[in-house]
Structure formats: structure tokens, C-alpha cells
């Protein structure tokens, strides 16, 4: 399916609204209306319709987890002998598991991708061992990766085919632990899946003055713990899929790595650039509705960096039953 057909399902205002929410989902109707040269009543209507159609699934803050001493790990699994009934039960159990932050069913070398948050490698090892023990008879092969850093980019493809100069959010980054008090943690737990929740609602829930809540959130932003806000979209409803490119380098060095990253930033359909420790050094996450575009980009990337890139592995995400940007267990 081609982009022009997909975009016919979204009006021009829908695309502009989604773009603005992707850039900053906390913006008011008035702010978005000003940016897209519309009226706030029109913006409110379109956001509500996108929610009703479940194109928008939730509004989420982006936290720099490394500043809180939280590490991000992933396990990639190749499975065998798993019936649809058993798979359905497995996914439901994993969704309930508070230690599991991300679940993705995929096509390619890997069948199931899982993400976890942990405060140290020992904690992750315990989670990993528990999950793998539960799945042991179905696991043919698995791979472990650790997110060293991750850049979240805006969905510029919603408006055009070129990457704009836009802000980047860091999901991980340099490991410098900053402490949070009890009120900070309670605020984060409330907003982590609802970035647009009104301050008065948070204040009422916590029995605290709204001005205090506002100041606390501003302080989290000032400390760069709270990096920004974005929106989760049900790509299936737009005919899109999430594709992951796992890039292995021939001889890694920071200069070559930055060259590849800067090149990839120009692709408006790349929304996440992840620096990994594991079997590969880089993961690129692309939202697209045309597999040929993905193959073309892989070819261009290989040709442009033939002396640097050793291998690119494509994994296509068919469903994400669970995705949380912040863990439940932080204290």
C-alpha cells in the first residue's frame, strides 16, 4: 500500500495534529491550533476523533531513565513448538508481568522481542532467567542486548518526505543517577501513561496544591529527567508497520558511528536510533507502509558505508501488545 492511499484515511489536519502531538503531546489545543494555523475547537475535535478511532493509543512522557539509575535490556527470542493457543496465554502472562516493559511479535530471525528495566545487571539476570525458564521448552535461540543510549525523533514523514530540524529526546544517555523523593515518584506514576492529564487532576489525586505539582514537573524538566512528551499511535490502523534494523559494524569507532547516525537522522521515517551493547552496535526503528522502501534504505545504507557496516538484519514488528516508557517498580 502506498503512502498516498494511507494518508487519504487521515485528513491534512489529522496529520498535522499527529505531528504536533508526536513533537510535544502536552501542548494545549490553543498551542497546536496556533502551530497549524487552525482553531482550538477544530484541534480538540480532531484529537477526540483520533482517540475514538483508537489511532492515538496514549500520550506518554519521555524520561531519561539513566538519570534515575535504570537500565534498559532486551531479549530477542526465536521460538519453536508454540501453538497459537499457548502463544496467546504466554503473551497474556507477559503483559501482566510488571518487570516486562515491552512485548513485540515479529517476523524475521526473531519471533518475540521482550524489553525489561532493571537497576543493575544482577537484577536483569534474575528477570531474564525467570522468563527464559518459563519459556525454555519453546526457545530455539535467544540474544541479549543492552541499550546504551537512544534518540527519539519526531514523525516528520506525516507532513513531508524530508527530515526537519527538530528536537531530539534522549531515552537513556550518560549514567548519572539523580534522586527523586516520594512526591516526584507519585507524580511520575500518574503521568507516565497520560502526559496530558491536567495539573488539577494530579493535585486532587495526591492531595497537593496544583502549583506544587507544576513546580515539581518543571524541576523534572530542568534536571532533564523529563525530556519531553510524545504520542503512541496504532500503526495498524494507518497500514504502517514498525521495522527494526540491527546494524553490525566491521570495526567500531565513535567517529564512524556518528557518521552513520547523522546519515540515518535524515530519513524522516526513522523514529528511534538506539546505541546497543550486544551482537550489534546500532538499532534503527522505522515506521513505514512499504517494505520496498525498507529494502531500498538498507541498500543505500550498505552502499554509503560499505567500509564500515558489516551486516544489517531486518526484523519486522507485527504487533506490540505492551509498551511502557517507564517501569512500575521504581522507588
Amino acid at each position: 500500500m502506498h503512502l498516498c492511499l494511507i494518508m487519504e484515511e487521515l485528513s491534512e489536519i489529522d496529520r498535522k495534529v499527529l505531528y504536533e502531538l508526536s513533537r510535544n503531546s502536552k501542548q494545549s489545543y490553543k498551542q497546536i491550533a496556533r502551530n497549524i494555523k487552525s482553531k482550538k475547537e477544530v484541534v480538540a475535535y480532531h484529537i477526540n476523533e483520533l482517540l475514538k478511532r483508537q489511532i492515538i493509543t496514549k500520550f506518554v512522557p519521555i524520561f531519561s531513565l539513566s538519570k534515575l539509575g535504570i537500565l534498559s535490556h532486551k531479549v530477542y527470542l526465536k521460538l519453536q513448538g508454540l501453538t497459537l493457543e499457548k502463544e496467546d496465554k504466554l503473551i497474556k502472562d507477559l503483559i501482566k508481568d510488571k518487570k516486562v516493559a515491552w512485548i513485540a511479535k515479529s517476523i524475521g530471525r526473531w519471533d518475540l522481542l521482550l524489553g525489561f528495566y532493571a537497576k543493575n545487571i544482577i537484577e536483569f539476570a534474575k528477570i531474564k532467567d525467570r522468563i527464559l525458564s518459563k519459556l525454555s521448552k519453546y526457545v530455539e535461540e535467544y540474544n541479549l542486548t543492552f541499550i546504551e543510549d537512544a534518540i527519539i525523533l519526531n514523525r516528520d514523514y506525516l507532513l513531508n518526505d524530508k527530515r526537519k530540524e527538530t528536537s531530539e529526546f534522549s531515552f537513556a544517555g550518560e549514567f548519572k543517577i539523580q534522586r527523586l523523593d516520594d512526591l516526584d515518584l507519585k507524580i511520575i506514576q500518574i503521568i507516565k501513561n497520560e502526559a496530558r492529564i491536567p495539573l488539577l487532576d494530579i493535585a486532587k489525586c495526591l492531595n497537593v496544591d496544583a502549583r506544587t505539582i507544576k513546580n515539581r514537573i518543571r524541576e523534572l524538566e530542568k534536571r532533564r529527567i523529563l525530556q519531553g512528551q510524545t504520542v503512541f499511535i496504532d500503526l495498524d490502523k494507518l497500514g504502517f508497520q514498525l521495522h527494526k534494523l540491527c546494524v553490525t559494524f566491521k570495526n567500531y569507532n565513535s567517529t564512524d558511528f556518528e557518521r552513520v547516525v547523522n546519515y540515518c537522522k535524515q530519513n524522516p521515517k526513522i523514529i528511534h536510533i538506539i546505541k546497543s551493547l550486544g551482537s550489534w552496535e546500532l538499532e534503527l526503528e522505522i515506521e513505514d507502509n512499504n517494505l520496498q522502501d525498507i529494502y531500498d534504505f538498507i541498500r543505500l545504507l550498505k552502499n554509503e558505508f560499505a567500509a564500515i557496516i558489516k551486516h544489517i538484519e531486518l526484523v519486522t514488528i507485527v504487533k506490540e501488545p505492551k509498551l511502557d516508557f517507564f517501569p512500575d517498580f521504581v522507588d
Side-chain angles (χ1 to χ4, degrees), residues 171-206:
F171 183 68
E174 191 175 358
F175 204 77
K176 288 186 177 181
I177 299 177
Q178 299 188 34
R179 299 299 175 187
L180 299 178
D181 66 15
D182 187 57
L183 180 57
D184 288 331
L185 287 170
K186 287 179 179 178
I187 292 171
I188 287 173
Q189 290 297 336
I190 290 174
I191 70 174
K192 68 178 184 179
N193 286 316
E194 183 46 89
R196 290 180 64 83
I197 185 170
L199 292 175
L200 287 174
D201 289 355
I202 303 173
K204 184 177 180 180
C205 180
L206 298 178

Side-chain angles (χ1 to χ4, degrees), residues 103-312:
I103 305 169
K105 297 170 67 174
S106 60
I107 297 172
R109 179 182 175 187
W110 309 107
D111 302 304
L112 185 65
L113 318 179
L114 302 176
F116 311 91
Y117 297 129
K119 293 183 178 179
N120 53 60
I121 194 68
I122 295 174
E123 183 180 8
F124 167 66
K126 290 179 180 178
I127 299 170
K128 180 263 297 180
D129 289 347
R130 175 171 61 81
I131 297 296
L132 289 182
S133 295
K134 185 183 297 185
L135 301 177
S136 59
K137 62 181 178 180
Y138 305 117
V139 177
E140 181 178 339
E141 181 185 2
Y142 72 90
N143 205 324
L144 306 178
T145 65
F146 161 64
I147 296 179
E148 183 179 347
D149 200 359
I151 299 170
I152 298 174
L153 299 167
N154 199 17
R155 293 182 170 94
D156 289 330
Y157 69 83
L158 287 169
L159 298 187
N160 53 53
D161 294 328
K162 295 182 179 180
R163 172 72 71 191
K164 293 185 176 182
E165 290 295 326
T166 187
S167 299
E168 301 173 2
F169 301 127
S170 177
F171 183 68
E174 191 175 358
F175 204 77
K176 288 186 177 181
I177 299 177
Q178 299 188 34
R179 299 299 175 187
L180 299 178
D181 66 15
D182 187 57
L183 180 57
D184 288 331
L185 287 170
K186 287 179 179 178
I187 292 171
I188 287 173
Q189 290 297 336
I190 290 174
I191 70 174
K192 68 178 184 179
N193 286 316
E194 183 46 89
R196 290 180 64 83
I197 185 170
L199 292 175
L200 287 174
D201 289 355
I202 303 173
K204 184 177 180 180
C205 180
L206 298 178
N207 196 26
V208 177
D209 183 78
R211 183 175 297 178
T212 300
I213 301 298
K214 184 177 182 179
N215 290 338
R216 288 301 186 102
I217 291 177
R218 281 183 174 175
E219 185 63 23
L220 290 172
E221 292 171 339
K222 183 179 178 181
R223 294 162 65 186
R224 300 299 293 161
I225 293 171
L226 178 54
Q227 296 266 319
Q229 296 84 15
T230 190
V231 62
F232 283 177
I233 296 174
D234 187 338
L235 296 177
D236 285 342
K237 287 188 166 57
L238 302 181
F240 276 65
Q241 284 185 313
L242 178 65
H243 304 273
K244 183 184 287 287
L245 305 185
C246 303
V247 183
T248 305
F249 285 62
K250 291 180 179 178
N251 295 297
Y252 177 86
N253 67 69
S254 57
T255 301
D256 287 342
F257 185 85
E258 287 304 315
R259 283 180 57 205
V260 175
V261 167
N262 289 331
Y263 179 86
C264 292
K265 284 181 181 178
Q266 305 310 308
N267 185 330
K269 293 181 181 178
I270 292 180
I271 61 164
H272 300 143
I273 298 177
I274 303 166
K275 186 176 183 181
S276 300
L277 296 177
S279 298
W280 46 80
E281 289 77 27
L282 180 67
E283 294 183 18
L284 307 171
E285 294 189 344
I286 307 174
E287 293 180 349
D288 208 322
N289 63 331
N290 191 334
L291 194 57
Q292 186 61 50
D293 291 344
I294 303 297
Y295 288 139
D296 290 344
F297 179 71
I298 291 174
R299 187 181 67 252
L300 288 172
L301 198 57
K302 283 181 176 179
N303 290 340
E304 183 72 19
F305 300 101
I308 298 173
I309 292 176
K310 179 180 180 180
H311 178 66
I312 299 176

Side-chain angles (χ1 to χ4, degrees), residues 300-326:
L300 288 172
L301 198 57
K302 283 181 176 179
N303 290 340
E304 183 72 19
F305 300 101
I308 298 173
I309 292 176
K310 179 180 180 180
H311 178 66
I312 299 176
E313 183 176 306
L314 170 62
V315 180
T316 296
I317 309 298
V318 294
K319 192 172 184 180
E320 288 182 290
K322 186 175 183 180
L323 176 58
D324 290 328
F325 268 10
F326 197 86

